[in-house]
Amino acid sequence: MHRNHIALACAAVFLLVLAGCGSSKHLPATLRPQAFQPTPNAAPTAAAPATQPTKNSTAIATDDSQTGGVTSISRPATRPAVGASSGTFMYIGTVVADVNGEPIYADKILAKVDPELSAKAPLLEPREFRLAAESAIRRQIEYDMHLELEFAGAVRNSTGEEQDRAKALAGMWRQREIIKAGGSVAVARRMSLDRDGIDFEEKVHEQYQSYMILINFQNRIMPLVQISGDDMRRFYDQNVAQLFTEKSGVRFRAIKVSVKQKGSREAALEGAQLRLERAKRGEDFAKMASEENDDLTRSANHGWWMLEKVMKEGDESVMEPTWIDHGALAGKLEEVEKAAFALDVGEVSPIPIDVGDGFYILKLEQKQKGRVRAFEEPEVQAEIRRRLGNDQRLALRQKDWVRLNKESVVRQDPEMLKTTVNMAMQKYFAWSRANGLTRADPQPAEGGTSR
């Protein structure tokens, strides 16, 4: 969940570079801090076991009358919780790692991986689940360590004005969440715990961290990205066949009437002809394809034959209809392809297309002839600039990671990692029973918690 959000803010930052924003004076309101992701391959270093730090974290004020003030949040060294599979409890406020004295708590790690692990629990035997839990927990610890490292670097590099801006933005985020909760801080806190298992004020502090990282990224890394005309031309020449050559293709919607659904070929053909007549009279084809389609895939696609994820400028991904090339469809579906290419844009197939187990009617939405997109086209140059910019930003961030690791003290506690995995095992059997799993042995896996 956190990774998905963080990827979106990276997209917002990248969009700023493409738009030519190099200013360090203004932070666009469109930046979303909860979606900023540290470099995925930058692994933190592991050293001696962590000690219990006493340093408090700076966070946004919890006073209802303030949305941008600062207070301190400290957490107890231990906090009891009842084990899900027994009447025993474990202390889950323990520290699994720390970065420059900032602790990373086991219960926060577990709260972030709970959705993934609860979905896997019904599908896995206890020993399989233990391996999956350890892998997920290790990834989340590494991710949180990366975030703390990047935040520490951002604070060291920041001005007082930049820190105030990040606090104000985090305060605005806090106020929006309270508004969503009907104006009640208590409800916002309860929703945060129920939905994510994380204290509301800690989430506000995470927003502050993310805004600090974003501001630092915008002001100190983005201006270093330099893309020359020669770089762009070289990239185009190297990738013209793969990225900038368009094949002839069609985009169309389809409605299927199934023989099995109608009970006979005659009934299916009659149903297809009735839909075809309505489409020819101008009825909304997309609506018909969504609501009266025996092909469930096309129905879910609002009639489009196929959808694909496409990256847009600024690294935003959207679902778009796939271009169907000549020869893309095989078997009896070749008749569907031939019929689509024979249509003009906006035209509906003249007769239902027989595919054996049913009949299709089509509407052609778009058609393109094969061509090579020229280097001079604005869209081509925007695509090249986006790709080259991404490569440079990743390289700069990787270099920054090397520096941050050298300047920081990063420690993990292997014993506390085992304890955190045992906590996940406590939840495993409750998750399994809740989902009706009968494969799971109710005894703990080897190395698990005692009952």
Side-chain angles (χ1 to χ4, degrees):
M1 175 183 64
H2 287 260
R3 291 180 177 85
N4 291 335
H5 289 315
I6 285 176
L8 294 175
C10 259
V13 172
F14 295 163
L15 178 59
L16 292 173
V17 171
L18 296 177
C21 178
S23 172
S24 61
K25 299 294 184 182
H26 304 287
L27 178 70
T30 55
L31 295 181
R32 300 179 60 187
Q34 64 269 37
F36 192 82
Q37 181 172 4
T39 307
N41 295 325
T45 57
T51 57
Q52 189 72 29
T54 58
K55 184 177 179 181
N56 292 339
S57 299
T58 301
I60 305 304
T62 60
D63 187 336
D64 298 351
S65 65
Q66 301 179 31
T67 59
V70 177
T71 187
S72 295
I73 289 179
S74 61
R75 295 169 59 91
T78 57
R79 182 154 56 90
V82 176
S85 62
S86 70
T88 64
F89 66 86
M90 301 183 71
Y91 289 96
I92 64 173
T94 41
V95 175
V96 293
D98 74 84
V99 179
N100 296 324
E102 287 293 338
I104 295 175
Y105 292 98
D107 52 339
K108 289 184 68 175
I109 294 295
L110 285 173
K112 294 174 182 178
V113 300
D114 269 1
E116 174 186 347
L117 295 183
S118 63
K120 289 182 177 179
L123 308 175
L124 301 176
E125 300 287 357
R127 287 174 177 79
E128 295 172 331
F129 180 83
R130 172 172 282 277
L131 293 174
E134 182 174 350
S135 176
I137 289 167
R138 283 184 183 275
R139 288 197 310 270
Q140 189 63 52
I141 291 172
E142 181 178 320
Y143 174 83
D144 282 15
M145 291 172 71
H146 288 174
L147 192 65
E148 285 290 349
L149 272 175
E150 201 159 18
F151 172 63
V155 170
R156 285 198 298 271
N157 293 332
S158 65
T159 64
E161 179 187 355
E162 290 170 337
Q163 293 185 27
D164 289 343
R165 194 185 319 161
K167 292 171 187 176
L169 289 167
M172 291 168 61
W173 181 90
R174 180 181 187 271
Q175 190 61 30
R176 287 196 299 270
E177 292 300 301
I178 293 172
I179 292 172
K180 290 179 186 177
S184 169
V185 177
V187 173
R189 289 171 177 160
R190 186 171 66 249
M191 289 173 61
S192 178
L193 288 172
D194 291 346
R195 182 178 59 218
D196 303 320
I198 301 174
D199 180 79
F200 178 56
E201 301 305 335
E202 290 178 358
K203 288 176 69 175
V204 176
H205 178 62
E206 289 182 355
Q207 300 304 311
Y208 168 67
Q209 289 181 305
S210 297
Y211 275 122
M212 283 298 303
I213 294 169
L214 284 170
I215 292 170
N216 183 63
F217 188 86
Q218 176 195 356
N219 293 349
R220 292 171 183 84
I221 294 181
M222 287 173 59
L224 300 178
V225 175
Q226 301 293 329
I227 301 171
S228 69
D230 289 342
D231 292 336
M232 295 177 64
R233 186 74 212 196
R234 189 180 306 112
F235 182 90
Y236 176 83
D237 292 340
Q238 292 172 348
N239 296 277
V240 62
Q242 180 181 1
L243 298 177
F244 305 111
T245 299
E246 296 177 349
K247 298 179 181 179
S248 60
V250 289
R251 286 173 168 171
F252 60 92
R253 300 182 196 264
I255 300 172
K256 183 178 182 180
V257 182
S258 167
V259 171
K260 182 177 180 180
Q261 293 288 336
K262 297 302 179 185
S264 68
R265 287 183 57 80
E266 291 75 13
L269 178 58
E270 181 181 357
Q273 289 173 331
L274 289 173
R275 287 169 175 76
L276 180 58
E277 290 172 5
R278 289 163 53 197
K280 288 180 177 179
R281 290 197 298 267
E283 192 165 334
D284 189 333
F285 197 93
K287 186 169 186 278
M288 291 171 59
S290 298
E291 300 175 357
E292 305 177 44
N293 206 332
D294 293 336
D295 185 327
L296 297 182
T297 299
R298 316 315 161 198
S299 176
N301 292 349
H302 299 285
W304 292 112
W305 189 259
M306 192 179 300
L307 295 176
E308 62 182 340
K309 184 179 290 186
V310 177
M311 299 301 296
K312 294 294 187 181
E313 186 174 330
D315 282 356
E316 178 187 7
S317 64
V318 296
M319 299 302 294
E320 287 189 354
T322 303
W323 286 102
I324 305 301
D325 303 329
H326 280 293
L329 305 186
K332 292 193 175 182
L333 292 180
E334 289 182 15
E335 297 302 318
V336 173
E337 179 188 304
K338 290 178 183 177
F341 272 96
L343 296 174
D344 293 326
V345 174
E347 190 178 4
V348 178
S349 52
I351 60 172
I353 300 134
D354 188 354
V355 293
D357 64 344
F359 298 87
Y360 277 102
I361 60 173
L362 313 177
K363 181 179 181 182
L364 184 66
E365 301 287 3
Q366 292 175 285
K367 179 184 283 189
Q368 69 177 13
K369 296 181 180 179
R371 72 182 186 98
V372 176
R373 298 167 65 193
F375 174 76
E376 291 74 19
E377 294 182 28
E379 295 82 2
V380 170
Q381 297 202 5
E383 170 72 6
I384 295 172
R385 188 175 294 277
R386 180 183 70 82
R387 290 177 178 270
L388 290 176
N390 285 352
D391 291 343
Q392 287 195 30
R393 281 185 286 272
L394 288 174
L396 288 167
R397 293 194 70 202
Q398 189 65 44
K399 182 178 179 180
D400 199 46
W401 270 111
V402 173
R403 179 185 61 79
L404 287 171
N405 273 287
K406 288 181 178 179
E407 296 175 354
S408 303
V409 178
V410 180
R411 296 177 293 191
Q412 296 189 58
D413 188 334
E415 290 304 315
M416 289 303 100
L417 171 63
K418 294 179 183 178
T419 300
T420 308
V421 175
N422 288 342
M423 296 177 201
M425 289 305 299
Q426 287 182 318
K427 299 182 177 184
Y428 166 68
F429 296 104
W431 282 331
S432 299
R433 294 189 192 105
N435 288 277
L437 179 66
T438 57
R439 296 171 60 209
D441 181 350
Q443 297 301 317
E446 183 177 349
T449 58
S450 59
R451 287 164 50 84

mmCIF file of all heavy atoms in Angstrom, residues 57-73 163-164 166-172 174-175 201 204-205 208:
data_model
loop_
_atom_site.group_PDB
_atom_site.id
_atom_site.type_symbol
_atom_site.label_atom_id
_atom_site.label_comp_id
_atom_site.label_asym_id
_atom_site.label_seq_id
_atom_site.Cartn_x
_atom_site.Cartn_y
_atom_site.Cartn_z
ATOM 1 N N SER A 57 11.100 11.662 17.882
ATOM 2 C CA SER A 57 10.866 12.075 16.506
ATOM 3 C C SER A 57 10.065 13.352 16.492
ATOM 4 O O SER A 57 9.120 13.514 17.251
ATOM 5 C CB SER A 57 10.091 10.982 15.755
ATOM 6 O OG SER A 57 10.833 9.805 15.734
ATOM 7 N N THR A 58 10.426 14.272 15.599
ATOM 8 C CA THR A 58 9.662 15.506 15.430
ATOM 9 C C THR A 58 8.436 15.218 14.604
ATOM 10 O O THR A 58 8.513 14.577 13.590
ATOM 11 C CB THR A 58 10.504 16.562 14.726
ATOM 12 O OG1 THR A 58 11.666 16.798 15.536
ATOM 13 C CG2 THR A 58 9.736 17.858 14.564
ATOM 14 N N ALA A 59 7.279 15.717 15.032
ATOM 15 C CA ALA A 59 6.034 15.455 14.304
ATOM 16 C C ALA A 59 5.145 16.671 14.348
ATOM 17 O O ALA A 59 5.374 17.628 15.077
ATOM 18 C CB ALA A 59 5.308 14.255 14.906
ATOM 19 N N ILE A 60 4.079 16.613 13.572
ATOM 20 C CA ILE A 60 3.112 17.708 13.530
ATOM 21 C C ILE A 60 2.264 17.692 14.807
ATOM 22 O O ILE A 60 1.958 16.651 15.364
ATOM 23 C CB ILE A 60 2.224 17.556 12.294
ATOM 24 C CG1 ILE A 60 3.101 17.468 11.049
ATOM 25 C CG2 ILE A 60 1.258 18.698 12.158
ATOM 26 C CD1 ILE A 60 4.046 18.621 10.876
ATOM 27 N N ALA A 61 1.858 18.847 15.239
ATOM 28 C CA ALA A 61 1.142 18.967 16.507
ATOM 29 C C ALA A 61 -0.139 18.171 16.512
ATOM 30 O O ALA A 61 -0.827 18.068 15.519
ATOM 31 C CB ALA A 61 0.829 20.441 16.778
ATOM 32 N N THR A 62 -0.466 17.601 17.705
ATOM 33 C CA THR A 62 -1.697 16.838 17.857
ATOM 34 C C THR A 62 -2.833 17.702 18.378
ATOM 35 O O THR A 62 -3.971 17.264 18.409
ATOM 36 C CB THR A 62 -1.476 15.671 18.830
ATOM 37 O OG1 THR A 62 -1.089 16.193 20.099
ATOM 38 C CG2 THR A 62 -0.369 14.761 18.315
ATOM 39 N N ASP A 63 -2.539 18.906 18.795
ATOM 40 C CA ASP A 63 -3.570 19.818 19.277
ATOM 41 C C ASP A 63 -4.548 20.115 18.151
ATOM 42 O O ASP A 63 -4.160 20.478 17.057
ATOM 43 C CB ASP A 63 -2.905 21.115 19.752
ATOM 44 C CG ASP A 63 -3.902 22.045 20.431
ATOM 45 O OD1 ASP A 63 -5.106 21.928 20.154
ATOM 46 O OD2 ASP A 63 -3.444 22.879 21.218
ATOM 47 N N ASP A 64 -5.859 19.946 18.435
ATOM 48 C CA ASP A 64 -6.869 20.140 17.396
ATOM 49 C C ASP A 64 -6.857 21.547 16.835
ATOM 50 O O ASP A 64 -7.289 21.788 15.706
ATOM 51 C CB ASP A 64 -8.271 19.848 17.961
ATOM 52 C CG ASP A 64 -8.388 18.416 18.422
ATOM 53 O OD1 ASP A 64 -7.458 17.641 18.136
ATOM 54 O OD2 ASP A 64 -9.392 18.090 19.072
ATOM 55 N N SER A 65 -6.369 22.491 17.589
ATOM 56 C CA SER A 65 -6.390 23.873 17.128
ATOM 57 C C SER A 65 -5.209 24.209 16.256
ATOM 58 O O SER A 65 -5.117 25.304 15.729
ATOM 59 C CB SER A 65 -6.412 24.814 18.337
ATOM 60 O OG SER A 65 -5.204 24.687 19.077
ATOM 61 N N GLN A 66 -4.277 23.280 16.084
ATOM 62 C CA GLN A 66 -3.093 23.551 15.289
ATOM 63 C C GLN A 66 -2.975 22.520 14.193
ATOM 64 O O GLN A 66 -3.199 21.361 14.412
ATOM 65 C CB GLN A 66 -1.834 23.494 16.164
ATOM 66 C CG GLN A 66 -1.858 24.492 17.317
ATOM 67 C CD GLN A 66 -0.600 24.367 18.164
ATOM 68 O OE1 GLN A 66 0.441 24.030 17.643
ATOM 69 N NE2 GLN A 66 -0.715 24.650 19.434
ATOM 70 N N THR A 67 -2.597 22.968 13.029
ATOM 71 C CA THR A 67 -2.388 22.028 11.933
ATOM 72 C C THR A 67 -0.987 22.085 11.391
ATOM 73 O O THR A 67 -0.634 21.282 10.550
ATOM 74 C CB THR A 67 -3.368 22.335 10.787
ATOM 75 O OG1 THR A 67 -3.140 23.667 10.347
ATOM 76 C CG2 THR A 67 -4.797 22.147 11.207
ATOM 77 N N GLY A 68 -0.173 23.008 11.857
ATOM 78 C CA GLY A 68 1.175 23.086 11.321
ATOM 79 C C GLY A 68 2.233 23.200 12.387
ATOM 80 O O GLY A 68 3.400 23.332 12.093
ATOM 81 N N GLY A 69 1.873 23.136 13.667
ATOM 82 C CA GLY A 69 2.852 23.239 14.727
ATOM 83 C C GLY A 69 3.640 21.966 14.870
ATOM 84 O O GLY A 69 3.377 20.969 14.245
ATOM 85 N N VAL A 70 4.635 21.999 15.763
ATOM 86 C CA VAL A 70 5.501 20.842 15.933
ATOM 87 C C VAL A 70 5.480 20.414 17.379
ATOM 88 O O VAL A 70 5.484 21.218 18.287
ATOM 89 C CB VAL A 70 6.943 21.180 15.523
ATOM 90 C CG1 VAL A 70 7.850 19.996 15.763
ATOM 91 C CG2 VAL A 70 6.969 21.571 14.068
ATOM 92 N N THR A 71 5.452 19.124 17.602
ATOM 93 C CA THR A 71 5.573 18.568 18.941
ATOM 94 C C THR A 71 6.463 17.352 18.841
ATOM 95 O O THR A 71 7.018 17.062 17.802
ATOM 96 C CB THR A 71 4.182 18.194 19.505
ATOM 97 O OG1 THR A 71 4.347 17.808 20.859
ATOM 98 C CG2 THR A 71 3.562 17.051 18.731
ATOM 99 N N SER A 72 6.627 16.620 19.915
ATOM 100 C CA SER A 72 7.486 15.438 19.916
ATOM 101 C C SER A 72 6.650 14.198 20.150
ATOM 102 O O SER A 72 5.722 14.196 20.950
ATOM 103 C CB SER A 72 8.559 15.538 21.004
ATOM 104 O OG SER A 72 9.438 16.604 20.737
ATOM 105 N N ILE A 73 7.014 13.151 19.448
ATOM 106 C CA ILE A 73 6.356 11.867 19.630
ATOM 107 C C ILE A 73 7.398 10.889 20.139
ATOM 108 O O ILE A 73 8.438 10.713 19.524
ATOM 109 C CB ILE A 73 5.774 11.327 18.312
ATOM 110 C CG1 ILE A 73 4.569 12.165 17.908
ATOM 111 C CG2 ILE A 73 5.363 9.878 18.436
ATOM 112 C CD1 ILE A 73 3.948 11.714 16.624
ATOM 113 N N GLN A 163 11.936 23.622 5.760
ATOM 114 C CA GLN A 163 11.351 22.821 6.828
ATOM 115 C C GLN A 163 9.979 23.352 7.222
ATOM 116 O O GLN A 163 9.039 22.574 7.454
ATOM 117 C CB GLN A 163 12.286 22.801 8.035
ATOM 118 C CG GLN A 163 13.585 22.062 7.781
ATOM 119 C CD GLN A 163 14.452 21.958 9.020
ATOM 120 O OE1 GLN A 163 13.942 21.966 10.147
ATOM 121 N NE2 GLN A 163 15.765 21.861 8.831
ATOM 122 N N ASP A 164 9.848 24.673 7.297
ATOM 123 C CA ASP A 164 8.538 25.259 7.612
ATOM 124 C C ASP A 164 7.511 24.919 6.543
ATOM 125 O O ASP A 164 6.339 24.661 6.847
ATOM 126 C CB ASP A 164 8.671 26.779 7.744
ATOM 127 C CG ASP A 164 9.428 27.198 8.999
ATOM 128 O OD1 ASP A 164 9.571 26.360 9.909
ATOM 129 O OD2 ASP A 164 9.889 28.356 9.054
ATOM 130 N N ALA A 166 7.476 22.228 4.623
ATOM 131 C CA ALA A 166 7.109 20.823 4.771
ATOM 132 C C ALA A 166 6.153 20.625 5.937
ATOM 133 O O ALA A 166 5.181 19.862 5.846
ATOM 134 C CB ALA A 166 8.367 19.978 4.958
ATOM 135 N N LYS A 167 6.394 21.336 7.052
ATOM 136 C CA LYS A 167 5.501 21.232 8.206
ATOM 137 C C LYS A 167 4.103 21.759 7.867
ATOM 138 O O LYS A 167 3.091 21.176 8.268
ATOM 139 C CB LYS A 167 6.077 22.012 9.383
ATOM 140 C CG LYS A 167 7.344 21.400 9.965
ATOM 141 C CD LYS A 167 7.989 22.330 10.975
ATOM 142 C CE LYS A 167 9.346 21.805 11.425
ATOM 143 N NZ LYS A 167 10.038 22.749 12.333
ATOM 144 N N ALA A 168 4.062 22.867 7.134
ATOM 145 C CA ALA A 168 2.763 23.436 6.757
ATOM 146 C C ALA A 168 1.998 22.493 5.847
ATOM 147 O O ALA A 168 0.786 22.294 6.006
ATOM 148 C CB ALA A 168 2.971 24.786 6.079
ATOM 149 N N LEU A 169 2.683 21.886 4.902
ATOM 150 C CA LEU A 169 2.024 20.946 3.983
ATOM 151 C C LEU A 169 1.530 19.715 4.729
ATOM 152 O O LEU A 169 0.424 19.218 4.469
ATOM 153 C CB LEU A 169 2.990 20.548 2.867
ATOM 154 C CG LEU A 169 3.291 21.640 1.844
ATOM 155 C CD1 LEU A 169 4.480 21.249 0.974
ATOM 156 C CD2 LEU A 169 2.067 21.915 0.986
ATOM 157 N N ALA A 170 2.338 19.212 5.660
ATOM 158 C CA ALA A 170 1.895 18.069 6.460
ATOM 159 C C ALA A 170 0.713 18.448 7.342
ATOM 160 O O ALA A 170 -0.214 17.651 7.541
ATOM 161 C CB ALA A 170 3.047 17.546 7.313
ATOM 162 N N GLY A 171 0.713 19.684 7.856
ATOM 163 C CA GLY A 171 -0.424 20.143 8.635
ATOM 164 C C GLY A 171 -1.693 20.229 7.804
ATOM 165 O O GLY A 171 -2.783 19.898 8.268
ATOM 166 N N MET A 172 -1.553 20.668 6.555
ATOM 167 C CA MET A 172 -2.712 20.713 5.651
ATOM 168 C C MET A 172 -3.221 19.301 5.377
ATOM 169 O O MET A 172 -4.431 19.070 5.318
ATOM 170 C CB MET A 172 -2.311 21.410 4.355
ATOM 171 C CG MET A 172 -2.034 22.895 4.514
ATOM 172 S SD MET A 172 -1.223 23.618 3.058
ATOM 173 C CE MET A 172 -2.475 23.302 1.809
ATOM 174 N N ARG A 174 -2.964 16.769 7.399
ATOM 175 C CA ARG A 174 -3.647 16.352 8.628
ATOM 176 C C ARG A 174 -5.063 16.904 8.691
ATOM 177 O O ARG A 174 -6.014 16.189 9.022
ATOM 178 C CB ARG A 174 -2.832 16.828 9.837
ATOM 179 C CG ARG A 174 -3.439 16.454 11.188
ATOM 180 C CD ARG A 174 -2.577 16.992 12.318
ATOM 181 N NE ARG A 174 -3.045 16.497 13.612
ATOM 182 C CZ ARG A 174 -3.951 17.093 14.351
ATOM 183 N NH1 ARG A 174 -4.514 18.234 13.919
ATOM 184 N NH2 ARG A 174 -4.325 16.575 15.509
ATOM 185 N N GLN A 175 -5.203 18.186 8.342
ATOM 186 C CA GLN A 175 -6.516 18.805 8.410
ATOM 187 C C GLN A 175 -7.474 18.173 7.409
ATOM 188 O O GLN A 175 -8.659 17.973 7.710
ATOM 189 C CB GLN A 175 -6.399 20.312 8.152
ATOM 190 C CG GLN A 175 -7.669 21.103 8.432
ATOM 191 C CD GLN A 175 -8.097 20.996 9.890
ATOM 192 O OE1 GLN A 175 -7.272 20.846 10.782
ATOM 193 N NE2 GLN A 175 -9.400 21.056 10.126
ATOM 194 N N GLU A 201 -1.057 10.410 14.361
ATOM 195 C CA GLU A 201 -0.016 11.424 14.407
ATOM 196 C C GLU A 201 1.299 10.906 13.824
ATOM 197 O O GLU A 201 2.093 11.678 13.295
ATOM 198 C CB GLU A 201 0.181 11.915 15.848
ATOM 199 C CG GLU A 201 -1.068 12.507 16.489
ATOM 200 C CD GLU A 201 -1.689 13.646 15.672
ATOM 201 O OE1 GLU A 201 -0.965 14.304 14.901
ATOM 202 O OE2 GLU A 201 -2.911 13.872 15.815
ATOM 203 N N VAL A 204 0.978 11.496 10.233
ATOM 204 C CA VAL A 204 1.239 12.905 9.926
ATOM 205 C C VAL A 204 2.747 13.151 9.863
ATOM 206 O O VAL A 204 3.245 13.847 8.970
ATOM 207 C CB VAL A 204 0.578 13.822 10.971
ATOM 208 C CG1 VAL A 204 0.928 15.279 10.705
ATOM 209 C CG2 VAL A 204 -0.938 13.645 10.963
ATOM 210 N N HIS A 205 3.468 12.559 10.811
ATOM 211 C CA HIS A 205 4.927 12.713 10.801
ATOM 212 C C HIS A 205 5.520 12.109 9.529
ATOM 213 O O HIS A 205 6.465 12.662 8.952
ATOM 214 C CB HIS A 205 5.536 12.032 12.025
ATOM 215 C CG HIS A 205 7.033 12.101 12.063
ATOM 216 N ND1 HIS A 205 7.723 13.288 12.127
ATOM 217 C CD2 HIS A 205 7.976 11.123 12.017
ATOM 218 C CE1 HIS A 205 9.024 13.048 12.131
ATOM 219 N NE2 HIS A 205 9.201 11.732 12.056
ATOM 220 N N TYR A 208 5.234 14.582 6.826
ATOM 221 C CA TYR A 208 6.270 15.603 6.958
ATOM 222 C C TYR A 208 7.597 15.090 6.398
ATOM 223 O O TYR A 208 8.299 15.798 5.662
ATOM 224 C CB TYR A 208 6.418 15.982 8.434
ATOM 225 C CG TYR A 208 7.653 16.809 8.733
ATOM 226 C CD1 TYR A 208 7.777 18.116 8.245
ATOM 227 C CD2 TYR A 208 8.696 16.288 9.499
ATOM 228 C CE1 TYR A 208 8.910 18.869 8.509
ATOM 229 C CE2 TYR A 208 9.834 17.039 9.778
ATOM 230 C CZ TYR A 208 9.937 18.321 9.272
ATOM 231 O OH TYR A 208 11.056 19.071 9.533
#
